[in-house]
Amino acid sequence: MIVSIAMIYLYYEIKDKKIIWSTVFNALSFQSILLLVAFSTINWLLEIAKWRNLVSNFKSISFLEATQQCLGSLTVSIFTPNRIGEYGAKALYYSKEETKKIIFLNFISNSSQMAITCFFGLLGLLLFKISYTETMVWFAFKIKILPVLIATIVFACAILIAFRLKKSKIYGISIATLFSKVTSFPRIILKKTFLFSLLRFLVFSHQFYYLLYLLNCDISYLTALSCIFTMYFLASIIPSIHLLDVAIKSSVAVYLFAKFGVLEWKIIMITSLMWIFNLFFPVLLGSYFVFQFKFQKK
């Protein structure tokens, strides 16, 4: 049932994209396709390595097992809000006694990626505004005052949310308990987790930039990165399912890149290709792992 829903979802996504395939094939050479595949492969290898690193806190698993769990849970979670199904799907690979551990580890994995996205997203917003600067006074305001103001607001909101949600629970684990568990978690594993998240973010961001280059988009490197960072940040904070995630990224990207004269059809094509390379093919492989799945015996 899961694989069937996943395949139907993928079919309608490809159908509704209305990509002009002849234009795509003309823009992409065999070598460039191989490089795009390499980008996506590295992206998912980093995600798999990150998950294996986290699980090593209590259990040693092979790289193949980590691959099965990451791609299998991806297939299950593509039609759940904010991929929340990934928490339950990964837990199914372990015994019932280890469920809370897996949920906690998946929380750290997703939180580290979100933290990296927010950091570069705020940096991207700043660079985007600087690229659009009209006066030196406004420029000075953005450089000296705006970052402090943004940091203060973000910090204040984080404290307020943490205080209000202190007794709230995520899959039976309170926010206060999660915080204490994170602070007591092995630092070396946390550092590796954030490193994998950082490298992964840089990989798929530069894959997007490479597609801009292939389609001859007249935009500088720093300006392009500011738009890319901002796009991923804005898209990540909007609650959605994968069914809408592609549309959100496309609409945000079109709005941002249009400010610098990049044609709309090129951005839609790029976001579609990013979706194909980083979600479509991994979900196909993940479907195989779903078919091979066996419940853990008690």
Side-chain angles (χ1 to χ4, degrees), residues 6 47 51 76 90 97 99 109 140 158 163 166 169 190 193 203 210 223 225 234 238 260 270 273 278 298:
E47 177 65 18
W51 179 244
V76 173
K90 281 182 177 175
E97 292 74 17
T99 297
S109 177
F163 179 77
K166 187 176 181 181
K169 294 184 177 182
L190 279 178
T193 299
V203 166
Y210 180 58
T223 302
L225 284 188
L234 295 178
I238 301 174
F260 301 97
I270 289 171
L273 289 172
N278 291 293
K298 189 172 180 180

Side-chain angles (χ1 to χ4, degrees), residues 121-133 142 222-223 225-228 230 255-260:
L122 293 174
L123 177 63
L125 279 170
L126 180 62
L127 292 174
F128 180 80
K129 290 295 184 181
I130 291 174
S131 301
Y132 232 52
T133 298
K142 291 170 180 176
L222 284 179
T223 302
L225 284 188
S226 70
C227 292
I228 294 169
T230 303
Y255 172 79
L256 293 172
F257 283 98
K259 300 288 185 182
F260 301 97

Side-chain angles (χ1 to χ4, degrees), residues 200-214:
R200 189 176 178 225
F201 184 86
L202 293 176
V203 166
F204 60 68
S205 295
H206 283 81
Q207 184 182 26
F208 197 105
Y209 175 76
Y210 180 58
L211 284 166
L212 288 170
Y213 168 77
L214 289 177

Side-chain angles (χ1 to χ4, degrees), residues 146-206:
L146 193 60
V148 177
L149 183 61
I150 292 175
T152 303
I153 294 173
V154 170
F155 181 74
C157 290
I159 294 297
L160 179 61
I161 292 172
F163 179 77
R164 293 291 298 273
L165 299 180
K166 187 176 181 181
K167 295 183 179 180
S168 299
K169 294 184 177 182
I170 300 177
Y171 280 95
I173 306 175
S174 68
I175 300 297
T177 303
L178 278 175
F179 182 76
S180 63
K181 283 181 174 291
V182 170
T183 54
S184 62
F185 201 73
R187 295 296 176 89
I188 185 64
I189 296 180
L190 279 178
K191 288 179 180 178
K192 287 183 179 180
T193 299
F194 275 91
L195 178 60
F196 285 132
S197 296
L198 171 63
L199 292 175
R200 189 176 178 225
F201 184 86
L202 293 176
V203 166
F204 60 68
S205 295
H206 283 81

Side-chain angles (χ1 to χ4, degrees), residues 216-236:
N216 299 314
C217 298
D218 187 17
I219 187 171
S220 68
Y221 176 73
L222 284 179
T223 302
L225 284 188
S226 70
C227 292
I228 294 169
F229 292 168
T230 303
M231 175 199 68
Y232 281 117
F233 171 63
L234 295 178
S236 65

